[in-house]
Amino acid sequence: METCLFCKIVSKNIPATIVYEDDRVLAFEDIDPKAPVHTLVIPKKHFSTLLDVAESDSDLMAHLLFVSREVARRKGIAERGFRIVTNCNPESGQSVYHIHLHVMGGRRMLWPPG
Ligand code: AMP
Ligand code: ZN
């Protein structure tokens, strides 16, 4: 999608600090981190929100989750604890309409989130 910020990161038209990449998924550092570790994991395929993902993309979504877990391991926060978050639509605070998982940790995470 030409106008999408994260599609531009996928196509390398906008720079990002990439921490993992394969044929289906990209992980890169959040530009405005809210925790010592704050990495975004996205499918290369564009979906505006979680509501746009079809059952036929179940494998991709599972892969996204496994890559997020691998990011937590590589960042050294897997054992102490981490959080995976996705926001969907305005009231959640979603600001970029290309689905992404936030992998966050390196500090005690509050619950419930604000
Ligand atoms: P959300 O608010 O859940 O849609 O999350 C979007 C996230 O993308 C925010 O945490 C932003 O800090 C992050 N973000 C926005 N622009 C960029 C960018 N160019 N590179 C990396 N992260 C970004
Ligand atoms: Zn996109």
Side-chain angles (χ1 to χ4, degrees):
M1 212 187 151
E2 276 172 28
T3 57
C4 170
L5 176 66
F6 285 178
C7 284
K8 287 179 185 166
I9 289 177
V10 169
S11 63
K12 312 275 165 67
N13 287 313
I14 286 182
T17 304
I18 292 170
V19 300
Y20 175 91
E21 180 168 17
D22 65 26
D23 57 328
R24 291 180 289 168
V25 166
L26 187 69
F28 53 94
E29 305 296 15
D30 196 292
I31 204 166
D32 183 19
K34 300 295 191 290
V37 174
H38 189 172
T39 303
L40 302 176
V41 185
I42 70 170
K44 289 188 170 179
K45 181 176 177 180
H46 180 90
F47 304 94
S48 295
T49 80
L50 189 58
L51 298 173
D52 301 306
V53 180
E55 280 286 332
S56 54
D57 283 305
S58 296
D59 280 357
L60 173 60
M61 297 308 289
H63 184 55
L64 201 67
L65 195 56
F66 283 123
V67 168
S68 300
R69 183 182 71 174
E70 181 58 23
V71 166
R73 283 189 175 130
R74 291 187 187 187
K75 293 281 182 181
I77 56 170
E79 298 310 322
R80 54 191 288 203
F82 63 97
R83 183 170 292 165
I84 294 174
V85 180
T86 191
N87 294 318
C88 182
N89 275 339
E91 207 160 290
S92 75
Q94 184 175 1
S95 60
V96 176
Y97 280 76
H98 178 131
I99 60 168
H100 46 281
L101 301 185
H102 297 255
V103 179
M104 304 176 74
R107 65 166 168 82
R108 179 162 288 279
M109 306 299 292
L110 303 177
W111 191 264

